[in-house]
Amino acid sequence: MEASRQYTRYMENMRAKVASEQLPEAALSEPKNRVEKQPDWYKLRYEFFALGLRNSSIAPAVNELLENGRQGISHILQNTLKNPHQDIESTSALLLACFDGLALQKLLDPNFNLESAYHVLEQMLRSLEKNR
């Protein structure tokens, strides 16, 4: 849980320091870089997910971890998008799923092109703003 809180603080600090037009790229670079520089962080995260699925006493803590992640992403989106759309919570959940899923693919397949996947994800985020 502390790692989740640290991540949220890091993202809030980034939001305060980075120009709004560069925030999507900067915010996406953190989870992408973490996969390459701290793969054990993601591995531990997946272990925690698996334990939560198998053990109902751990499930609430896993849910809290996911909720903290969604809230952190929501804060970034609310402060980045010029015209925030109504369903920021769902967008945050989708982004969190992308981060976790892309990390898993990279960890299991070292040849997976993480850079390209994040580039497409950034384009998708930017298109949200253009379509509003």
Side-chain angles (χ1 to χ4, degrees):
M1 292 309 165
E2 181 56 30
S4 178
R5 286 189 275 282
Q6 285 177 350
Y7 175 77
T8 300
R9 285 190 300 268
Y10 172 82
M11 295 307 280
E12 288 173 356
N13 189 35
M14 178 190 304
R15 186 182 68 215
K17 291 182 178 181
V18 176
S20 62
E21 63 274 358
Q22 295 177 341
L23 194 55
E25 182 180 347
L28 290 175
S29 71
E30 198 287 329
K32 180 184 64 154
N33 291 336
R34 182 175 281 193
V35 174
E36 295 169 343
K37 294 178 181 173
Q38 297 176 314
D40 287 341
W41 185 90
Y42 273 106
K43 291 175 184 177
L44 182 60
R45 184 173 173 85
Y46 300 134
E47 289 289 333
F48 196 46
F49 291 168
L51 287 171
L53 289 170
R54 283 185 246 139
N55 185 329
S56 62
S57 65
I58 295 174
V62 175
N63 189 45
E64 182 181 342
L65 175 74
L66 292 169
E67 177 62 26
N68 286 342
R70 288 189 303 268
Q71 285 179 1
I73 294 167
S74 289
H75 290 301
I76 292 290
L77 290 175
Q78 288 169 351
N79 292 294
T80 302
L81 299 175
K82 293 175 186 150
N83 300 310
H85 56 289
Q86 294 176 346
D87 208 355
I88 267 187
E89 289 180 22
S90 293
T91 303
S92 298
L94 287 169
L95 285 171
L96 183 60
C98 286
F99 300 156
D100 286 335
L102 292 171
L104 181 62
Q105 291 179 72
K106 181 63 175 178
L107 291 174
L108 293 173
D109 178 4
N111 295 317
F112 177 72
N113 191 339
L114 188 65
E115 190 71 35
S116 178
Y118 267 90
H119 178 72
V120 171
L121 184 57
E122 181 183 345
Q123 290 176 326
M124 290 169 60
L125 282 174
R126 291 188 185 280
S127 74
L128 284 176
E129 184 59 26
K130 289 177 186 173
N131 293 328
R132 297 290 164 206

